[in-house]
Amino acid sequence: MRDPYEVLGVSKGASASEIKSAFRKLAKKLHPDANNKDPKAAARFSELNAAYEILGDAKKRKAFDSGEIDAEGKPRFQGFEGFGGQQGFDPRHFGGFQPGGGAGFESFSFGPEGFQRRSSRGGGGGFEDILRDLFGGRAQRAQGPAFETESFGAQPPHADTTAALTISLAEAASGATKRLRLPSGKEVEVRIPVGIASGQQIRLKGQGQKGPWGAGDLLIEVTVAPHPLFMREGQNLRLTLPITLDEAVLGGKVRVPTLGGAVELSIPPNTSSGRTFRLRGKGMPGKDGAGDLLATVTIALPEKADEELQELMRKWRAHKPYDPRKEMA
C-alpha cells in the first residue's frame, strides 16, 4: 500500500484537523456510490479508509512515523536483541554457559511438553550437551550431569492466526461477503454479519496456522471505516442536515439521505440550527431492531452575498430586533 500521507495528500506535519478534512473531501469524491461506473473506485476508497485508519488515530500515526508499523498497520520486523543485550546469537553466552567447564548452566527447550528450563547441579558438560538439549529434545549423555526440569505449561495444540479487515458502513449495515488475502498469500472468503461494529472479531474455524495437532482458527478484527455523512453511536446514526434560510423560516419538506436511500422529512416553520429530528428505524440494524437516524439541522446561507437578502435583513433588524444570546448575559 502507498504511504498514507500520499494517499490523503497531506504533509507529515499536517494537523489532526487537516487530516480529517482531507479525508472527508476525498471520501465524498471517491465514494463508490458516486463512481459506480469506475471498477477501481472501491479499491481507491478502501485504500483511503486504510490510510485514514492510521493517520486518524494518534497512537497509530505515531507508531507509523517512528517506523513501528507499516502502511498497512502491520508491525515492522525489528530484528533480535540477542541474549544478554547482545546483537545476534553467541552460543558461548547462551544459558549461562562458561567456557572451560566447571560452572553449572541452564538450557531451554520448547517441545510437546511445553517450554522447559533445565539446570545442571555440578561440573562437566560442554557446548555439545547444550546443543543436544536444545535441538534434540530430552536426549542426554549417559554419563552427563543430572538435570532439574522446570515446565512452563504444555505447548498449545495449534496456533490461532490474526488478521485485519476494513469494511464500509454500508457493508456493516447490510452484511457482505469479502475476500481477504492473508500474509501467507492464501485468500479466504469472509462473511460479514449484519450490524457488526469496529473492534469485533470474526472467527473462521480451522483457517489458522497449521501444526502437528491440527489447524488453529483465523481471528479477523473488523474496522468499520468512517463515513463522509454518518457518525455511528451504537445502533444510532447521526447526520448534520443543512437547510436553507427560507426552509428554516417557512418550513418545508426536505430529502434526507439514509443508508437505505433518501427519505422525506417535514421541517416545521421557525426551525433553528441545532434542532435534532429522529427518524426511527433508519439507523444500524441489531438483534432488537434497527436504531434511529438523528438528523441535526444547520442553516446554510447562499455561498455568494445577495443584495436583496441583505436589504431584507437590514429592515428586519431595524423594525424587529431580537437577542438570541440574552440568556448568556
Side-chain angles (χ1 to χ4, degrees):
M1 177 178 159
R2 291 188 296 155
D3 186 294
Y5 289 101
E6 180 183 345
V7 174
L8 287 170
V10 297
S11 66
K12 289 193 174 182
S15 65
S17 60
E18 288 173 333
I19 289 174
K20 184 176 182 180
S21 177
F23 167 75
R24 287 183 174 272
K25 183 178 179 180
L26 288 172
K28 291 181 180 180
K29 179 182 178 182
L30 300 177
H31 198 280
D33 292 346
N35 300 273
N36 50 19
K37 294 183 179 180
D38 185 354
K40 297 182 179 180
R44 287 199 297 267
F45 188 68
S46 178
E47 182 183 47
L48 176 66
N49 284 328
Y52 185 67
E53 184 183 344
I54 292 177
L55 300 187
D57 184 298
K59 291 183 179 180
K60 290 184 180 180
R61 182 183 180 185
K62 183 178 180 181
F64 175 76
D65 289 343
S66 62
E68 296 176 23
I69 61 174
D70 61 17
E72 295 181 358
K74 298 176 182 177
R76 293 184 184 274
F77 180 70
Q78 301 292 340
F80 296 100
E81 288 289 334
F83 296 87
Q86 301 180 39
Q87 297 295 324
F89 173 71
D90 186 346
R92 294 170 299 173
H93 297 90
F94 185 80
F97 174 74
Q98 300 293 332
F105 61 86
E106 293 184 333
S107 65
F108 303 86
S109 67
F110 189 76
E113 293 83 10
F115 182 68
Q116 297 184 338
R117 182 179 69 193
R118 295 182 174 87
S119 57
S120 70
R121 287 199 300 261
F127 182 58
E128 294 83 359
D129 298 289
I130 299 176
L131 292 182
R132 180 179 294 106
D133 190 56
L134 278 173
F135 304 111
R138 290 169 289 180
Q140 299 182 17
R141 284 185 176 180
Q143 302 299 324
F147 284 89
E148 293 178 346
T149 299
E150 184 174 352
S151 176
F152 291 83
Q155 181 186 18
H158 45 62
D160 292 337
T161 301
T162 59
L165 178 64
T166 300
I167 62 174
S168 68
L169 185 64
E171 290 171 331
S174 60
T177 299
K178 305 276 288 185
R179 290 197 66 81
L180 176 64
R181 187 178 183 86
L182 303 179
S184 63
K186 177 184 177 181
E187 288 191 354
V188 295
E189 195 168 77
V190 185
R191 181 178 171 274
I192 308 299
V194 173
I196 195 169
S198 284
Q200 291 185 324
Q201 286 187 334
I202 298 174
R203 181 186 293 269
L204 298 184
K205 296 283 188 181
Q207 297 291 333
Q209 182 178 339
K210 293 183 178 180
W213 290 272
D217 299 337
L218 174 60
L219 302 178
I220 303 170
E221 183 168 336
V222 175
T223 297
V224 181
H227 193 279
L229 296 179
F230 305 110
M231 179 179 293
R232 184 173 182 176
E233 294 181 354
Q235 285 183 236
N236 293 334
L237 296 176
R238 282 195 174 273
L239 167 71
T240 298
L241 179 67
I243 62 174
T244 63
L245 180 60
D246 59 284
E247 288 170 337
V249 174
L250 304 175
K253 294 184 181 296
V254 299
R255 290 178 66 78
V256 181
T258 74
L259 289 176
V263 297
E264 202 170 65
L265 173 66
S266 293
I267 303 294
N270 205 37
T271 294
S272 298
S273 283
R275 183 171 179 178
T276 299
F277 296 89
R278 183 183 294 270
L279 283 72
R280 297 195 179 277
K282 297 300 180 182
M284 295 294 293
K287 293 181 179 179
D288 300 324
D292 302 330
L293 173 62
L294 306 175
T296 301
V297 300
T298 178
I299 299 173
L301 295 177
E303 292 184 1
K304 294 183 179 180
D306 184 272
E307 183 59 34
E308 290 184 18
L309 179 59
Q310 290 178 346
E311 181 60 27
L312 175 62
M313 291 298 100
R314 280 191 286 268
K315 291 180 180 180
W316 178 270
R317 183 165 56 187
H319 297 289
K320 295 186 177 181
Y322 73 102
D323 185 4
R325 297 173 294 279
K326 62 182 180 180
E327 301 293 336
M328 301 173 65

